[in-house]
Amino acid sequence: MKDGSSMAAIVDNGSIIGVRLGKRKKRSQWMLWMFERSCMNLPERLTRAILGNKAPIILKLFSLVDFNVWKMFDQLGCDQIYEDAAVCAARGSGVKGLGTELCRRTEV
């Protein structure tokens, strides 16, 4: 959150009622690209040992939907991409459209 790519909605008493988590990826971050690629190619047993039982399922889903931010740099012709990880809003907050507002305010 230090780089400004994520945001939280906080009420007066300090409680968090909404959050958007994401990060900026730059084409020049080739070490990060290599690390992510190597994680996708780990054997299933090792992936389970390191990341838990659900990790192989998530990695297989990423593979099936062809989720690869790094391919998109060439397709979009850009040098920076915002990768959104999650948008969450508390049901009991009473703020309608909070998730939408968090998305709007963190647009790069």
Side-chain angles (χ1 to χ4, degrees), residues 12-49:
D12 294 335
N13 66 4
S15 299
I16 297 174
I17 59 170
V19 67
R20 180 177 186 185
L21 300 174
K23 58 186 170 187
R24 292 181 186 101
K25 287 191 176 179
K26 297 180 181 177
R27 186 187 295 258
S28 61
Q29 294 174 314
W30 59 272
M31 287 291 285
L32 179 62
W33 172 78
M34 288 179 65
F35 174 75
E36 287 181 4
R37 186 170 179 179
S38 65
C39 287
M40 295 293 281
N41 295 324
L42 288 175
E44 187 174 327
R45 264 189 139 152
L46 186 58
T47 307
R48 280 186 201 276

Side-chain angles (χ1 to χ4, degrees), residues 57-76:
I57 298 167
I58 294 168
L59 293 176
K60 187 170 186 172
L61 177 65
F62 283 175
S63 176
L64 288 172
V65 297
D66 198 26
F67 179 81
N68 187 345
V69 174
W70 302 101
K71 280 188 196 177
M72 298 306 295
F73 284 111
D74 291 329
Q75 288 181 12
L76 298 173

